[in-house]
Amino acid sequence: MSGDHSHSEDQVDGGSRFNDSHKHKDKYKEKEHKHKDHKKDKERDKSKHGNSDHKDSSDKKHRDKEKMKHKDGSTDKYKDKHKEKRKEEKMKSFDGKVKKEKENGFASPHVKSEPEDDIYHSPKHEKSLKRERDDDNDSEFKPKKIKTEIKTENDKRAKKRKPDEVRNNHEQKEFSIFSNILLKAQNEGTPEEPGRLKWEEERYTDGSKWKFLEHKGPVFAPPYEPLPSNVKFYYDGKHMKLSPGAEEVATFFAKMLDHEYTTKDIFRKNFFKDWRKEMTAEEKAKLTDLKKCDFSEMSDYFKAQSEARKAMTKDEKLKIKAENERLLQEYGFCIMDNHKERIANFRIEPPGLFRGRGDHPKMGMLKRRIRPQDIIINCSKDSEHPKPPPGTKWKEVRHDNKVTWLVSWTENIQGSIKYIMLNPSSRIKGEKDWQKYETARRLKKCVDRIRNQYREDWKSKEMRIRQRAVALYFIDKLALRAGNEKEEGETADTVGCCSLRVEHIKLYPENDGQEYVVEFDFLGKDSIRYYNKVPVEKRVFKNLQLFMENKEPDDDLFDRLNTSVLNKHLQELMDGLTAKVFRTYNASITLQQQLKELTSGEDNVPAKILSYNRANRAVAILCNHQRAPPKTFEKSMQNLQTKIDAKRGQLSDAKRDLKSAKADAKIRRDEKSKKTVETKKKAVQRIEEQLMKLEVQATDREENKQIALGTSKLNYLDPRISVAWCKKWGIPVEKIYNKTQREKFAWAIDMAEDDYEF
DNA sequence: GCACCAACTTAGCACCACTTCA
DNA sequence: TGAAGTGGTGCTAAGTTGGTGC
């Protein structure tokens, strides 16, 4: 494949790829189970494929294969542990209860038992901030090492991160230009504090991200407001007054009552388990069955509140807006290296029920309230430190300038760290973004060499090298994600390239008139289904057959490969190269090619924008960026069609009028009738333009039904390509990027000329 | 070599404010 | 003017990457 390889050509089923993706998530699940249930059938299939493929393989090849299998040491070097785990799961599945869970599409969740007397007191105003429960006791995740000596830990952290890559002169110079542009853009947008405006154009070479950082800390979720006494909860048909703690958690469930989540067994089970932890002993004894709980009055109350909010007077709404603006001004900005920067998420996530995506084993668990004593503040020593709410303390205040975050805390569901960071429009984020695209541009220069290399590696004597080469081919050709290994039972069962299992692909020596077709069917990030049928090169096909030999459906396809091995290899091929860079590179290069192909100079502005959206769409399809069709989709399409029909009627009327005006003018031959003809002509033109706009809108909307353009636009497409395209064709950049996007890509808007090449 | 973890990017969904239209 | 529709935005889950320590 060369730089201009076309993905769309390779996608046999490209056109209909997304039509059924969402509604078929469940079907997919069913299918997965069928795979397991019909293992024997699959085995037969496999041997069938195997037979046909072995027709042309000699005994020598078989001997080579055997040799290859053992050359790199013992088998299943990398993935033994995970494989074993899956096997264990399989064994467990014979146990009735677990088996039932699996049938429901959930892997056996890893649930740790908790002390029953661990009661969570729901907070009430200031008092609420003092909880009896110890953090470390209520978490579901494994306890992490407790850091005691701040200074030592800071030193360690500083050591941990390598200084940013040293640039060559050209890059340093370009970076300087970049900084100036970003400064200019930011200074136009935000007024600087007098005396604070002091920009350093040079980047820190010691790995520091900043020298000065000052902020006001986070905004906490508002305290829980107990329900009014007329809003009642019923158990088994009888009214029951809940304790504040139990009531708060109950409201989380009530607020989600209309959502599909609350119908899912695992969600209900997790919720009920965590809810019970918040109950008093008396409540715990009484409330034993979620099915008997009636949250409907609570649910109605919240719906009424929501309606009331909508029905507020203009003044009331303005008041709220002003208060939000005040909070934004106070907490939404920081000073980083004496420059005022917007903070992305200055509000702490409120408590609620965890909404994992796909078949997440932890969905429904209680996300606990974050308090000041959970919060780590990061700022510079010489700054004015943020103050915790009265009567509280921060967990820690640290001064680590090797990181970019301002605030962090550990969440209780997965035990992962959450951060408050800067807005994408900030210098620090913009610079990182720019670097990302520069790395992708460097890949462009050496991608042919890398492709030749992995093609050579398909013939390697070593299994691990062949696997690496085939995986890389998929990452490059199909823009698959790297695919880290995941802990089973902790998250939804999703995969990427390196973690693909045998059950995720099917091989067809011949399919729909094409040779060597691979069918992919798996759940990727966010449990979005990836379905694609792709013809591949013969060697890839043969290798896949080899990788699948003697394996169970739930065995790893690439058992000698993981992301770490792959990225190490990529690093050797190009400095800074990782699997992710291929996605950025292929997305950006595809946009550039598609724009060249689709844009016609003769088109008017709406037609050109349609071309842009189509190019954007090609990338979104490549990256498998899907969305659920909007709930109002069918209706809004219908409305649009009605408008189009009406406009068509209007057009034929106008044309008829024009015709008769022309005939009239022919007879009369006076100035007045000539003018009438001109007016009618203009009317026809105007209506034609309006009709065209509507038709373009309808096409665009229809094509976008299940495809999300925003993700690729924001994360994968070098904005300079879009800016250059706008400049070249005289399209206002506002037509392509909204305000937020223009702020994020301010650097590109100023930097790119109409001749920019990715 | 591997598990673990921190730090960051990428991702889709839900809601709300703004716009459009009858 | 109010209802309907939609794009923008915030939210937060879910990835990737790379360093550390055993």
Side-chain angles (χ1 to χ4, degrees), chain A residues 212-245:
Chain A
F212 181 85
L213 174 62
E214 185 172 279
H215 58 93
K216 294 291 278 281
V219 172
F220 288 93
Y224 176 64
E225 276 182 37
L227 292 169
S229 55
N230 62 326
V231 181
K232 293 184 176 107
F233 167 77
Y234 299 90
Y235 186 72
D236 208 8
K238 286 176 203 131
H239 168 231
M240 186 176 164
K241 176 76 190 154
L242 294 172
S243 63

Side-chain angles (χ1 to χ4, degrees), chain A residues 155-328:
Chain A
D155 290 349
K156 275 184 197 169
R157 274 191 299 275
K159 240 204 255 173
K160 216 173 153 179
R161 272 165 242 111
K162 65 168 183 185
D164 289 352
E165 54 194 271
V166 180
R167 286 165 197 224
N168 58 33
N169 286 341
H170 172 73
E171 279 194 325
Q172 187 64 49
K173 198 178 150 199
E174 262 210 40
F175 173 74
S176 226
I177 299 166
F178 168 83
S179 290
N180 282 324
I181 284 166
L182 203 59
L183 296 184
K184 198 180 133 202
Q186 285 176 338
N187 290 342
E188 279 166 5
T190 51
E192 300 297 327
E193 284 181 43
R196 287 274 194 192
L197 217 167
K198 189 178 146 198
W199 279 90
E200 288 183 20
E201 307 307 336
E202 300 298 316
R203 243 175 118 226
Y204 306 116
T205 50
D206 60 350
S208 301
K209 301 281 170 41
W210 45 264
K211 294 286 181 219
F212 181 85
L213 174 62
E214 185 172 279
H215 58 93
K216 294 291 278 281
V219 172
F220 288 93
Y224 176 64
E225 276 182 37
L227 292 169
S229 55
N230 62 326
V231 181
K232 293 184 176 107
F233 167 77
Y234 299 90
Y235 186 72
D236 208 8
K238 286 176 203 131
H239 168 231
M240 186 176 164
K241 176 76 190 154
L242 294 172
S243 63
E247 186 189 270
E248 181 181 11
V249 180
T251 63
F252 299 153
F253 192 83
K255 280 177 187 165
M256 288 180 75
L257 220 51
D258 286 341
H259 204 287
E260 200 199 337
Y261 272 120
T262 56
T263 63
K264 295 187 178 181
D265 278 351
I266 192 83
F267 187 95
R268 296 174 67 88
K269 201 181 114 207
N270 286 334
F271 160 72
F272 198 54
K273 185 171 173 245
D274 279 4
W275 187 28
R276 284 175 60 77
K277 287 178 208 158
E278 310 308 317
M279 293 176 190
T280 61
E282 202 184 322
E283 285 166 338
K284 219 181 272 183
K286 208 167 172 189
L287 300 172
T288 54
D289 186 357
L290 182 58
K291 270 189 233 128
K292 292 179 182 169
C293 296
D294 180 357
F295 302 93
S296 55
E297 276 194 21
M298 288 186 193
S299 173
D300 292 344
Y301 169 71
F302 292 120
K303 275 182 207 159
Q305 270 201 328
S306 165
E307 287 305 311
R309 260 198 310 275
K310 277 181 209 160
M312 273 188 302
T313 63
K314 215 175 176 184
D315 271 0
E316 286 170 322
K317 281 184 182 171
L318 279 176
K319 232 179 183 176
I320 292 173
K321 206 177 169 186
E323 174 58 13
N324 282 336
E325 183 58 28
R326 192 192 64 77
L327 274 179
L328 173 71

Side-chain angles (χ1 to χ4, degrees), chain A residues 95-195:
Chain A
D95 170 76
K97 199 181 162 197
V98 180
K99 193 177 174 193
K100 199 174 166 226
E101 277 171 6
K102 281 215 137 189
E103 279 163 3
N104 287 336
F106 304 111
S108 151
H110 174 78
V111 182
K112 288 176 191 163
S113 58
E114 296 202 10
E116 285 287 297
D117 57 351
D118 182 20
I119 294 168
Y120 181 101
H121 297 284
S122 285
K124 249 191 196 174
H125 313 287
E126 282 306 333
K127 245 185 173 179
S128 69
L129 298 167
K130 290 180 185 170
R131 282 168 192 268
E132 285 171 28
R133 189 167 69 165
D134 187 325
D135 293 357
D136 296 327
N137 291 340
D138 64 13
S139 51
E140 287 274 335
F141 54 89
K142 288 172 213 155
K144 287 177 183 174
K145 281 176 195 167
I146 298 160
K147 289 164 188 166
T148 44
E149 277 197 295
I150 297 169
K151 200 182 168 192
T152 322
E153 283 302 322
N154 273 339
D155 290 349
K156 275 184 197 169
R157 274 191 299 275
K159 240 204 255 173
K160 216 173 153 179
R161 272 165 242 111
K162 65 168 183 185
D164 289 352
E165 54 194 271
V166 180
R167 286 165 197 224
N168 58 33
N169 286 341
H170 172 73
E171 279 194 325
Q172 187 64 49
K173 198 178 150 199
E174 262 210 40
F175 173 74
S176 226
I177 299 166
F178 168 83
S179 290
N180 282 324
I181 284 166
L182 203 59
L183 296 184
K184 198 180 133 202
Q186 285 176 338
N187 290 342
E188 279 166 5
T190 51
E192 300 297 327
E193 284 181 43

Side-chain angles (χ1 to χ4, degrees), chain A residues 70 103 290 395 448 476 532 584 616 677 735:
Chain A
H70 296 283
E103 279 163 3
L290 182 58
K395 181 179 182 184
D448 287 339
D476 182 22
N532 201 1
T584 313
N616 191 167
V677 169
K735 299 271 181 196

